Amino acid sequence: MASSGEEARSGSPGRAGTGTEAAADAAQLDTAEDFEVLEEEGEEDEDDLSELPPLEDVGRPPAPPREDAQPPEQGTGDAAGEPQEWLDVLGSGLLKKKTLVPGQGVDSRPQKGQDVTIRLKATLEDGTVVEEDPALTFTLGDCDVLQALDLCVQLLEMGETALIVSDAKYCYGAQGRSPDIPPNASLTLEVELLAARDAPDLELLSGKEKIQLANRKRERGNFFYQQADYVLAINSYDIALRIVGSSSKVDFSPDEEAELLDVKVKCLNNLAASQLKLDHFKAALKSCNLVLEHQPGNIKALFRKGKVLAQQGEYREAIPILKAALKLEPSNKTIHAELSKLVKKHADQRNVETEMYRKMLGNPSTTSTSRKCKDKLPWSIPWKWLFGATAIALGGVALSVVIAARN
């Protein structure tokens, strides 16, 4: 199983890492969108999107569908020179598949959840080869690779070689992959299905294997987050959390347990960030609370929880949470700014409520004499006390009447 560092260097289509330039891009997102780094600039985990803020836009919209994408003419005939038919996979014309070499029959198709191995060659529309991998392995249906591959490989028969033409929407979208895949680029993928086997039993994975697998899914979620595809990001983080939380028949060392907890916290923080992007406030609040159960002083979770409560208009609850975060990191300008904004909104909210109550109860005089008299008037007594005293008085009168009647 490849390490996360190896995946980041591979540049494989659909893998979380997209080379040095993508790592620099991730670092830029961290710097631009998370809590401001004020004094020291240490080396950060560029793949940890828990550094990203919960509510600001990424600033890069997803690629619009391209209706003019056309399949290439080269290499589309069979051995007898007869052209093969294109299969419109989604019915939109944006993802097409053509068989070049038939496989072993429909019954040999892989199933979702299996680990599949394919031979892959990816080219641009002008024929430039941007990727070649003789044995790319991934879990089918987990969105570990490009959507074009995840959707089409399940249609391949064992041993089949097929040509896949995909719109940018199902590849690298508006961002592309620097430096070799430009934004909004369609890709032609030549794929051969080499093997399919059941995924490993999570209960039998060693601590190291479980950590590596969960991190792969987390990194894939980070990739989708950077692509502003928050639904798929949530899917990947959920898979990673399921791996971390799965039962095990293998004993883990204390260090492995600590590392698994670290992966869990990162996934939950990233999950909250993605949920906030989709305005799923209840789910985001739950994710933040799960982080705080493990790490009550986690600044990212505190900040996001405060933001989510603020988005729901719960300023009274949000303010002390942000104050707690600020106490942990007093020099953080982002928390300072957010807290100041919430305090002002809360004051405005209270002013509106006060004015509303004033209109409901009338507009009492503001003169000093009226204020002095008001303090002595009986209506300054709580109503429930007044009603109680009246009831007691009426009860006493009734009792006197009964006693007089008996006498």
Side-chain angles (χ1 to χ4, degrees), residues 214-233:
N215 269 325
R216 277 176 52 193
K217 306 299 182 181
R218 178 181 64 84
E219 290 161 4
R220 188 60 184 165
N222 295 353
F223 169 81
F224 284 126
Y225 190 101
Q226 292 178 42
Q227 296 284 329
D229 195 334
Y230 306 116
V231 172
L232 289 181

Side-chain angles (χ1 to χ4, degrees), residues 4 8 16-17 23 26 30 44-50 218-219 222 226 270:
S4 60
D30 288 347
E44 297 181 1
D45 180 8
E46 293 173 342
D47 292 322
D48 179 12
L49 290 193
S50 61
R218 178 181 64 84
E219 290 161 4
N222 295 353
Q226 292 178 42
N270 295 353

Side-chain angles (χ1 to χ4, degrees), residues 39-119:
E39 296 180 356
E40 58 182 15
E41 296 184 358
E43 184 176 350
E44 297 181 1
D45 180 8
E46 293 173 342
D47 292 322
D48 179 12
L49 290 193
S50 61
E51 296 295 334
L52 288 168
L55 297 174
E56 290 72 19
D57 291 333
V58 171
R60 297 184 295 185
R66 292 181 50 188
E67 300 294 341
D68 60 342
Q70 297 294 329
E73 297 298 330
Q74 69 273 16
T76 58
D78 61 12
E82 294 293 333
Q84 300 291 316
E85 292 186 0
W86 286 93
L87 171 66
D88 191 346
V89 176
L90 300 175
S92 62
L94 302 180
L95 184 62
K96 298 182 179 182
K97 168 190 171 290
K98 176 188 287 189
T99 298
L100 300 181
V101 179
Q104 300 173 13
V106 174
D107 292 341
S108 66
R109 287 179 177 176
Q111 303 296 316
K112 286 185 177 181
Q114 287 187 314
D115 285 347
V116 297
T117 301
I118 63 172
R119 176 184 62 80

Side-chain angles (χ1 to χ4, degrees), residues 56-217:
E56 290 72 19
D57 291 333
V58 171
R60 297 184 295 185
R66 292 181 50 188
E67 300 294 341
D68 60 342
Q70 297 294 329
E73 297 298 330
Q74 69 273 16
T76 58
D78 61 12
E82 294 293 333
Q84 300 291 316
E85 292 186 0
W86 286 93
L87 171 66
D88 191 346
V89 176
L90 300 175
S92 62
L94 302 180
L95 184 62
K96 298 182 179 182
K97 168 190 171 290
K98 176 188 287 189
T99 298
L100 300 181
V101 179
Q104 300 173 13
V106 174
D107 292 341
S108 66
R109 287 179 177 176
Q111 303 296 316
K112 286 185 177 181
Q114 287 187 314
D115 285 347
V116 297
T117 301
I118 63 172
R119 176 184 62 80
L120 173 68
K121 180 180 179 181
T123 59
L124 299 175
E125 289 180 302
D126 62 3
T128 302
V129 178
V130 292
E131 187 67 38
E132 285 189 280
D133 194 325
L136 174 62
T137 299
F138 59 94
T139 303
L140 190 61
D142 274 11
C143 299
D144 289 344
V145 290
L146 296 178
Q147 283 184 273
L149 288 174
D150 219 20
L151 292 169
C152 291
V153 169
Q154 57 188 297
L155 302 177
L156 297 181
E157 300 169 4
M158 189 60 60
E160 178 182 350
T161 299
L163 205 62
I164 299 168
V165 175
S166 174
D167 183 80
K169 180 178 181 180
Y170 304 106
C171 295
Y172 287 98
Q175 289 75 33
R177 188 187 72 181
S178 179
D180 52 354
I181 300 178
N184 299 316
S186 298
L187 289 181
T188 299
L189 310 171
E190 184 178 309
V191 181
E192 179 184 2
L193 180 58
L194 302 176
R197 60 186 179 277
D198 291 339
D201 188 342
L202 295 179
E203 290 187 338
L204 301 179
L205 292 179
S206 67
K208 183 178 180 181
E209 289 171 333
K210 182 172 282 194
I211 291 166
Q212 288 178 337
L213 182 58
N215 269 325
R216 277 176 52 193
K217 306 299 182 181

